[in-house]
Amino acid sequence: MPEGHTIHRLAEDYAKAFRADSSLRVTSPQGKFSDAAALLDRTPLRTTDAHGKHLFLGFGDPGHPEWVHIHLGLFGKVTFGPAPAPPPTDTVRLRLASDTAYVDLRGPTTCALITEPEKRAIHDRLGPDPLRPDAEPERAYRRISRSRTTIAALLMDQKVIAGVGNVYRAEVLFRHGIDPYRAGRDLTRAEWDAIWDDLVVLMREGVRNNRIDTVRPEHTPEAMGRPPRVDDHGGEVYVYRRANLPCHICGSGIRTVDLAARNLFWCPGCQRA
DNA sequence: CGACAATGAAAAA
DNA sequence: TTTTCCTTGTCGC
């Protein structure tokens, strides 16, 4: 389940499992991607790429690259396993299978074969991604510093910054004591730089561990003598999905509200205007 | 077995 | 601002 760290991890995992493997079979058991799958069948995966929540699988020779563009949306899931691949269920949009491994993609918002220019156009409309080495955080600040929109909404806008989702949004604002309702243009450059640098660290850690942990060492369950979090998406967090529970730091009840069809979580004690 | 939620975003209105 | 798309797991009856 997908914020940017998941997608970058998938780019690594797809490459690790299948790159340059001439035994690669490409199918679409569900049927919605059959034509493209037939085209790619038995051609090696050349490279993978990720920008924000967009995943790209590169096929073909470098002069004429073809890309499978994948976006998981809210429900998309990817599962890896060793060969032999089990019979696919009828929801598998895309299966890659080699002599040694297989991977199934289910429920993506997007799974399409695109050209290099089309890929470039996607990069162009995305904001800087804390997980990409070429990212320019000033580009994000330029937009934020001119916007009357709340920082909570701006962090979710992929044109402003790519890869942050509902969990990282809530957690990074908490970690910096920032009221989610503050307007973007009221953020100082120093505040933005601190947020960005923090996201770089947190999301890299997310890629490494394949989960989101945002709690500082001094606030971990072990350090504070409280039971570890029990939650179906794993990861130790301060506010995400902790509605009405006491804040780990100040004890205030964590608040939640429906904002633009997503659940926003924050601590009214620690995050003041 | 239906209702509902879930780390998302584009299209329609 | 609302609707739509995509899938799966959980909860209550």
Side-chain angles (χ1 to χ4, degrees):
Chain A
M1 290 118 113
E3 296 196 22
H5 69 300
T6 304
I7 309 308
H8 283 257
R9 174 61 178 258
L10 285 173
E12 288 179 13
D13 290 349
Y14 267 89
K16 198 168 294 177
F18 301 107
R19 190 165 41 124
D21 189 331
S22 55
S23 74
L24 187 62
R25 306 302 310 264
V26 183
T27 55
S28 179
Q30 180 197 48
K32 288 191 185 177
F33 195 60
S34 294
D35 292 352
L39 223 55
L40 297 171
D41 195 26
R42 294 187 186 282
T43 66
L45 175 67
R46 186 170 56 77
T47 185
T48 64
D49 193 13
H51 187 156
K53 300 167 189 172
H54 298 255
L55 172 64
F56 304 94
L57 308 180
F59 292 83
D61 69 84
H64 299 277
E66 302 185 273
W67 298 91
V68 176
H69 172 216
I70 294 170
H71 193 298
L72 295 181
L74 196 49
F75 311 130
K77 272 191 179 54
V78 172
T79 52
F80 286 84
T89 64
D90 57 10
T91 55
V92 175
R93 180 78 57 88
L94 172 66
R95 165 173 283 188
L96 305 190
S98 72
D99 291 344
T100 54
Y102 77 96
V103 59
D104 284 345
L105 168 68
R106 289 183 174 81
T109 279
T110 302
C111 177
L113 195 57
I114 64 170
T115 63
E116 177 77 15
E118 288 169 328
K119 176 173 185 275
R120 203 169 314 127
I122 292 167
H123 289 294
D124 289 346
R125 66 176 161 77
L126 290 172
D129 176 349
L131 289 170
R132 287 177 71 89
D134 59 352
E136 299 173 326
E138 332 44 75
R139 269 181 55 207
Y141 186 66
R142 211 170 304 140
R143 295 187 64 142
I144 290 167
S145 63
R146 291 174 186 163
S147 176
R148 287 180 293 187
T149 305
T150 62
I151 187 60
L154 288 166
L155 281 174
M156 294 285 277
D157 184 343
Q158 303 297 300
K159 297 187 294 302
V160 174
I161 177 171
V164 172
N166 208 12
V167 184
Y168 282 122
R169 163 186 60 183
E171 294 299 308
V172 82
L173 289 176
F174 178 88
R175 284 168 60 95
H176 294 265
I178 291 175
D179 180 339
Y181 286 100
R182 272 176 65 190
R185 64 181 180 185
D186 294 337
L187 254 72
T188 66
R189 178 60 193 254
E191 283 175 320
W192 173 249
D193 287 345
I195 287 173
W196 175 273
D197 291 346
D198 205 21
L199 284 170
V200 169
V201 172
L202 289 174
M203 294 177 77
R204 278 186 188 158
E205 173 115 339
V207 174
R208 190 161 47 246
N209 300 331
N210 218 357
R211 51 182 254 178
I212 298 178
D213 293 283
T214 60
V215 172
R216 297 192 170 88
E218 64 269 33
H219 300 136
T220 59
E222 306 81 65
M224 298 189 77
R226 56 182 167 79
R229 180 165 214 237
V230 180
D231 196 308
D232 52 11
H233 60 85
E236 284 294 335
V237 293
Y238 286 106
V239 294
Y240 177 70
R241 278 221 243 176
R242 296 197 63 247
N244 303 317
L245 295 171
C247 172
H248 294 326
I249 295 186
C250 78
S252 303
I254 301 302
R255 293 195 53 188
T256 185
V257 72
D258 192 310
L259 187 91
R262 311 305 299 281
N263 298 313
L264 171 66
F265 300 89
W266 80 101
C267 169
C270 295
Q271 299 171 259
R272 295 175 184 282

